[in-house]
Amino acid sequence: MSRRFATGSAAIGETSDRSFLSEIERGYFQGFQAERRCDEFLAGRLAARRALGELGVAVEGLAIVREDDGAPRVTGADRTVALSISHSHVRAIALVAEGELPIGIDLTEWTDAPRIRKVAMRAFPREIERDLVLADDISAVRGWALKEAVAKTLRMGLLEQGGFLRIEIVSLEPPRVRVKDDERVLVLTIVDEEDGVRATGAVGPRVVTSR
């Protein structure tokens, strides 16, 4: 049976309405001090519900809780789904998929290229990897987004759990990586968009249906 995926997005600051949040999500929201963080949270939760709606999941009564490592998890839905959320300076984007197999999404802006180059020695510790990723600014942004998406998919901290070193980018076209001490099959995508690069990862068989 094919695994179905869907995405949703929302602009940062698009809404200040909190009525669609669950009780636990309102609790998270009330713990934020910065207005920017509040806007990002609302946009991320709205994007997630839009993605769930695209997948045909009823969003009434569900909650998006936060795992110990910060990853989002959907509870109270009418089926089991996996969720990942990412933010840029202007929008939030969410990826959802049927089933429990992990997924990850990252949105990295084109304007992030100078920052990525500054941390390239740490983020891409192998010379062969740096040669690939730092060939030009487009490759730098693609490489960063891909490594972030893979780390989210594998629930691996880039710093705390050595993800920068464990995840090695082998190719950007098509996207391929090697992960030390992890033999799970990864299905990866990289999509160039107007404001940056969207990279996704999924554990399991190849994606057949994607929105």
Side-chain angles (χ1 to χ4, degrees):
M1 182 177 180
S2 302
R3 190 182 189 193
R4 297 178 58 238
F5 288 69
T7 59
S9 65
I12 304 294
E14 177 178 332
T15 183
S16 59
D17 179 19
R18 288 173 276 170
S19 63
F20 68 91
L21 298 176
S22 66
E23 183 177 353
I24 191 169
E25 289 170 288
R26 292 192 193 103
Y28 298 149
F29 182 89
Q30 291 167 1
F32 301 132
Q33 301 297 320
E35 181 179 354
R36 171 74 187 184
R37 185 67 188 93
C38 291
D39 289 343
E40 288 178 343
F41 181 83
L42 285 174
R45 263 42 187 188
L46 182 58
R49 283 168 168 80
R50 286 173 174 170
L52 289 164
E54 287 293 319
L55 201 62
V57 176
V59 298
E60 294 80 9
L62 63 74
I64 301 172
V65 301
R66 194 164 53 201
E67 299 278 30
D68 291 342
D69 62 358
R73 178 170 59 87
V74 179
T75 64
D78 57 10
R79 72 194 78 167
T80 301
V81 291
L83 167 67
S84 182
I85 301 172
S86 183
H87 304 83
S88 71
H89 287 96
V90 297
R91 64 181 171 126
I93 190 167
L95 173 70
V96 297
E98 294 177 332
E100 296 180 342
L101 290 176
I103 59 176
I105 189 168
D106 185 75
L107 181 61
T108 301
E109 296 176 308
W110 297 119
T111 54
D112 285 331
R115 174 185 62 82
I116 295 168
R117 289 185 176 277
K118 287 181 180 179
V119 299
M121 291 293 291
R122 181 180 65 180
F124 310 104
R126 300 169 185 83
E127 183 177 359
I128 191 170
E129 189 181 31
R130 288 195 302 276
D131 289 344
L132 172 66
V133 171
L134 301 182
D136 50 54
D137 284 353
I138 292 175
S139 297
V141 175
R142 287 173 176 169
W144 183 272
L146 179 59
K147 190 160 280 200
E148 286 273 9
V150 171
K152 286 184 177 182
T153 302
L154 300 179
R155 304 285 288 273
M156 180 188 301
L158 288 174
L159 288 175
E160 298 84 354
Q161 296 174 291
F164 280 131
L165 182 61
R166 289 180 61 192
I167 301 167
E168 178 186 359
I169 296 175
V170 177
S171 169
L172 292 174
E173 296 183 277
R176 290 191 300 116
V177 301
R178 279 192 291 263
V179 183
K180 184 179 180 181
D181 301 324
D182 196 314
E183 298 182 355
R184 285 176 288 181
V185 174
L186 291 175
V187 180
L188 306 172
T189 70
I190 294 177
V191 178
D192 292 345
E193 301 190 337
E194 183 176 352
D195 58 343
V197 172
R198 171 166 50 95
T200 66
V203 172
R206 177 161 297 278
V207 177
V208 175
T209 301
S210 180
R211 299 184 186 183

